[in-house]
Amino acid sequence: MPVRLFGRYGHGIRHRLLLLVLLPSVLLLPMLLLTTLAWGERFSQRQSLARVATDLSVAESVFARMQRDTLDALHRLADSWALRTALAGGTPVPMALLERDVGGDGFGYVRLLDAGGRPRDGGPPPPPSKLLDAARAGQAASGIERFEAAALDAARDGLAALARVEHAGTQEPADERGLVVRAAVPVLDEQGAVLALLDGGVLLNRNYRPVDEIRDLVYGPGTLLPGAIGTVTLFLDDLRVSTNVPLHAGERALGTRVSPEVRRQVLEHGERWLGRAFVVNAWYLSAYAPLLDVHGERIGMLYTGFLEAPYRQAWDDAAGALIGACLLADALLGALALWLARSLFRPLERLLAVTRAVRSGATGARALPGPGRDELAELAREFDAMLDRLAQHEHELETAAQALERTVAERTEDLRRQNARLAETVAELAEARQRLLTTEQLAALGTLAAGVAHEINNPLAVLLGNLDVMVAELGEAAAPVQVEIDLAVAQVERIRRIVRGLLDYARPQRQPLGGCVADLPALFEETLLLAGHSVQGGGVTIQRDWQARQTVRIGAPELQQVLLNLIVNALQALGGRGRLWLTTADKQGRVVLVVADDGPGIEARHLPRVFDPFFTTRTSGTGLGLAVSFAIVRRHGGEITIGTRPGGGCLVTVCLPALEAAGCKSGADSPSCALASPSPSLSCRESDR
């Protein structure tokens, strides 16, 4: 924060002085305030958690005392003269006697058992328990147990209905189990022998007396802030079966469940949970402890907590008051600092105004300090003297600069003329070198082409003559091989065209332009037939996509020569196995032809040279195929490019003008020849180029 303040406002002495004066109040006081608030909140939270932990310990003690009170009440009944007399005389003990003696202690049931633990009234046996085992041995004991619905009704008719707790907010069936404080006391004769057993229990489900008594003892008057409701809850597993947590006005939150986090820590791990928790419909500072039955199993929880909102409001009020006091102190300190700094700001502002005026061109502006003798007045006088000296030096520099500018302008103009002549010379040399190189290549190719034409045309003439003789001599006997004879004649003619193509490449200006191709698919199929020997074996899959509808401005022989070179190169790269894509399409007044394969592709370092004459990467290649194709396409106003296919392999694109696009240009002014990749996507390969 200090760095940002200085970066934004620290460009002048005035602002720096203000920051220096106001920094303690603007920065340090808020930091101290925030630190105090953070520490206070953490301390308050720790104190609140310590308080709720203490409340939980007190509640556990009160709940344990209630269990002892239940045992004491049953002890009093066991020691009553009426019960001993009835047992000693062997007469039935009326139920009214049992209910009369324990009726005020909240028992849900009291049963009289014989010394073996069987009901004396012949009813269903009680659920087994360590408490009954201890009573048969002559020891009274009490504890918490979980009764199933059948056990509750066996203990007393209708007790399961009293224990029934509906699940709030869900469609789950009601829970009819009971959380019971159970006590078992032996009835002894004068010799200490066990005459009978008393089995009694206090049902905690929907029994608000225990939780209200614990709440009144833990959260008595004056222990909480006004509005901070103290609550106590007894859980059977994670279900509230007795609570004074409000759900709505006048309604308790029976049948609601505890959060999964609390259940996991308390019921599954057997640990206490302390913290801030959302209980039913509000935030409480809460504490949970597991309830263990007589067998040591966790069957429920005991909860204590109080509403957080009044404490949060009290803390917010205190924090707001503290923040208000700090803001007021900041305002007073800032006003005092501004009042004290005004005597420093005025001289500095005059100096700043003079500086800005001089920078804007008013060289005659001066600070004109008063009669003061302090450091700022002395600084203003020295500043005015410095401006006078600067004005004199500026005049001298301006005179010298004008002379220097004239000299520099003259030298600069000379350099510009020399650079222009040098650039023209370099361009002419580069152009001459390129023309010389091209001339040498064409001369070499022309010599080679002339020699090849001379050496090949004579044997070709002999071959054609012999073929004519064979046809004439055989007559109708030549019909079975007429296709082969025609193909041989066509290939001889093709050899002648290739020789003429070499001569045309060497002397392109002598080749007349003309012709057109309307049926591109037929030309492709004929070219595939000519290259059929390279497709033999069935390992190459050819995919065709004929979309072009326009007529191409190029002669069929020339275009077939280009396509044959490209297809043969692709098939040679595939080596008899792979995929070959042949595609045509119309695009912006041109026709685009694509030959693509998924072969090994061309290395990036070879791509710039693939159209150079005699350049090849195969030992058996001549390096003329792509060079001749390039010359043919460019001579007809088209473009040919080679690229790399994304999936591997080569993609060759030929872009030729359509018949109706006679005025289209080649080169940089021509429409883009880019074609969306055919399916599958197109790419590039290394072959004889």
Side-chain angles (χ1 to χ4, degrees):
M1 183 176 179
V3 175
R4 289 198 298 270
L5 286 174
F6 275 104
R8 184 173 180 180
Y9 300 107
H11 300 298
I13 296 178
R14 175 186 183 188
H15 297 116
R16 294 182 183 181
L17 289 175
L18 277 174
L19 287 175
L20 183 63
V21 174
L22 297 177
L23 187 62
S25 60
V26 173
L27 181 62
L28 299 180
L29 192 59
M31 290 178 61
L32 180 61
L33 173 63
L34 292 176
T35 303
T36 302
L37 290 176
W39 176 85
E41 186 171 5
R42 287 196 299 270
F43 178 78
S44 175
Q45 189 175 17
R46 287 197 299 268
Q47 290 296 105
S48 299
L49 293 179
R51 162 67 191 274
V52 77
T54 303
D55 295 342
L56 181 61
S57 299
V58 174
E60 287 178 320
S61 299
V62 174
F63 190 58
R65 192 206 65 193
M66 288 182 175
Q67 297 178 45
R68 293 192 298 271
D69 290 345
T70 301
L71 184 63
D72 292 342
L74 210 59
H75 254 304
R76 290 193 296 272
L77 176 59
D79 294 338
S80 66
W81 179 84
L83 179 60
R84 288 176 178 271
T85 301
L87 290 175
T91 60
V93 178
M95 191 63 192
L97 174 63
L98 301 179
E99 294 176 351
R100 182 195 64 194
D101 288 346
V102 296
D105 295 307
F107 278 89
Y109 76 92
V110 177
R111 302 187 71 186
L112 183 63
L113 312 176
D114 61 19
R118 294 178 296 275
R120 293 177 63 91
D121 57 3
S129 172
K130 287 185 176 181
L131 302 177
L132 294 179
D133 296 340
R136 283 196 295 268
Q139 298 292 329
S142 63
I144 307 171
E145 289 193 3
R146 177 174 53 201
F147 277 42
E148 299 297 331
L152 289 173
D153 282 336
R156 175 184 166 188
D157 290 339
L159 196 58
L162 294 177
R164 180 185 179 88
V165 176
E166 300 286 346
H167 290 273
T170 68
Q171 300 298 324
E172 298 181 54
D175 199 326
E176 295 184 350
R177 298 175 302 165
L179 186 65
V180 178
V181 176
R182 189 177 187 184
V185 177
V187 181
L188 307 177
D189 60 10
E190 295 179 356
Q191 288 74 31
V194 177
L195 293 176
L197 305 178
L198 282 176
D199 178 17
V202 177
L203 179 63
L204 299 177
N205 293 34
R206 302 171 63 184
N207 184 358
Y208 304 132
R209 181 175 137 186
V211 293
D212 289 345
E213 287 183 1
I214 296 175
R215 179 198 59 193
D216 294 341
L217 288 172
V218 175
Y219 301 112
T223 59
L224 298 174
L225 290 179
I229 303 172
T231 57
V232 177
T233 299
L234 290 172
F235 289 87
L236 177 57
D237 291 335
D238 62 343
L239 182 69
R240 288 180 174 86
V241 296
S242 180
T243 183
N244 41 49
V245 174
L247 180 61
H248 303 293
E251 183 180 355
R252 304 190 185 219
L254 284 181
T256 56
R257 293 188 179 277
V258 77
S259 68
E261 179 185 359
V262 174
R263 173 188 173 88
R264 185 166 48 252
Q265 183 167 335
V266 179
L267 289 180
E268 296 180 10
H269 300 293
E271 301 173 355
R272 284 188 170 196
W273 191 94
L274 303 175
R276 180 173 176 264
F278 192 80
V279 179
V280 182
N281 53 17
W283 287 98
Y284 285 76
L285 293 172
S286 307
Y288 295 83
L291 291 179
L292 304 180
D293 65 3
V294 296
H295 304 286
E297 296 180 0
R298 293 183 289 273
I299 61 171
M301 293 180 287
L302 173 63
Y303 157 84
T304 59
F306 52 87
L307 196 62
E308 182 193 35
Y311 287 88
R312 174 58 60 182
Q313 185 62 46
W315 169 254
D316 292 344
D317 293 343
L322 185 58
I323 292 173
C326 288
L327 292 177
L328 180 61
D330 268 349
L332 294 176
L333 288 175
L336 180 61
L338 289 175
W339 181 75
L340 292 175
R342 289 184 65 185
S343 60
L344 296 176
F345 294 161
R346 289 175 181 173
L348 293 176
E349 289 173 351
R350 284 200 302 270
L351 286 175
L352 180 60
V354 170
T355 303
R356 290 175 176 171
V358 171
R359 184 179 61 185
S360 63
T363 57
R366 296 295 182 268
L368 301 176
R373 297 183 179 180
D374 58 6
E375 290 83 355
L376 291 177
E378 182 66 22
L379 175 63
R381 284 189 286 271
E382 291 294 331
F383 187 73
D384 287 347
M386 180 188 67
L387 290 178
D388 294 338
R389 290 193 295 272
L390 286 176
Q392 181 182 356
H393 292 162
E394 183 179 358
H395 178 70
E396 296 173 355
L397 288 173
E398 184 177 357
T399 303
Q402 290 175 355
L404 181 61
E405 285 177 358
R406 287 192 294 271
T407 303
V408 170
E410 295 172 357
R411 298 293 178 87
T412 302
E413 181 62 23
D414 292 340
L415 287 175
R416 187 190 63 78
R417 288 194 296 269
Q418 295 293 335
N419 287 337
R421 286 196 294 270
L422 181 60
E424 292 174 359
T425 303
V426 171
E428 291 173 357
L429 288 174
E431 184 178 356
R433 180 179 178 277
Q434 183 61 37
R435 287 198 300 269
L436 179 60
L437 180 60
T438 303
T439 301
E440 291 177 352
Q441 288 181 341
L442 291 177
L445 185 58
T447 302
L448 175 64
V452 169
H454 181 269
E455 295 297 329
I456 291 179
N457 282 334
N458 291 334
L460 290 180
V462 173
L463 287 175
L464 284 176
N466 288 335
L467 287 173
D468 290 339
V469 171
M470 288 172 58
V471 172
E473 291 295 331
L474 291 176
E476 294 183 359
V481 294
Q482 187 63 44
V483 174
E484 286 75 8
I485 293 174
D486 293 341
L487 185 59
V489 172
Q491 292 304 305
V492 170
E493 291 297 333
R494 179 172 170 271
I495 293 173
R496 283 185 170 181
R497 288 196 299 272
I498 291 174
V499 173
R500 286 197 301 272
L502 289 174
L503 295 175
D504 292 341
Y505 181 77
R507 298 185 294 275
Q509 67 278 5
R510 301 180 183 177
Q511 176 92 10
L513 298 179
C516 63
V517 177
D519 191 354
L520 287 174
L523 185 62
F524 266 97
E525 297 297 339
E526 181 181 345
T527 306
L528 285 172
L529 183 61
L530 294 177
H533 66 282
S534 300
V535 194
Q536 293 177 359
V540 177
T541 301
I542 301 177
Q543 294 188 0
R544 302 164 175 83
D545 186 8
W546 314 128
Q547 299 181 18
R549 298 293 181 268
Q550 300 185 85
T551 301
V552 186
R553 292 195 60 200
I554 186 173
E558 288 84 359
L559 182 55
Q560 187 176 57
Q561 183 176 355
V562 172
L563 294 177
L564 186 61
N565 284 334
L566 300 182
I567 292 174
V568 169
N569 283 347
L571 293 173
Q572 289 174 350
L574 290 174
R577 184 173 301 278
R579 300 171 75 89
L580 177 66
W581 290 272
L582 304 176
T583 303
T584 66
D586 297 325
K587 188 174 182 70
Q588 299 180 0
R590 292 197 164 201
V591 178
V592 181
L593 314 177
V594 177
V595 178
D597 63 77
D598 59 355
I602 297 178
E603 295 183 16
R605 60 191 178 93
H606 293 326
L607 284 175
R609 300 188 57 197
V610 293
F611 295 116
D612 292 347
F614 308 111
F615 175 77
T616 180
T617 57
R618 298 203 320 270
T619 57
S620 60
T622 64
L624 286 175
L626 286 180
V628 172
S629 300
F630 181 81
I632 293 173
V633 173
R634 292 300 296 270
R635 190 163 59 247
H636 287 80
E639 298 177 8
I640 179 170
T641 58
I642 293 183
T644 300
R645 187 173 166 272
C650 176
L651 181 147
V652 184
T653 303
V654 178
C655 185
L656 291 167
L659 186 61
E660 56 268 33
C664 68
K665 300 179 182 179
S666 62
D669 297 333
S670 64
S672 173
C673 289
L675 176 65
S677 298
S679 178
S681 61
L682 305 179
S683 60
C684 207
R685 131 210 109 263
E686 177 151 3
S687 65
D688 174 27
R689 299 175 172 87

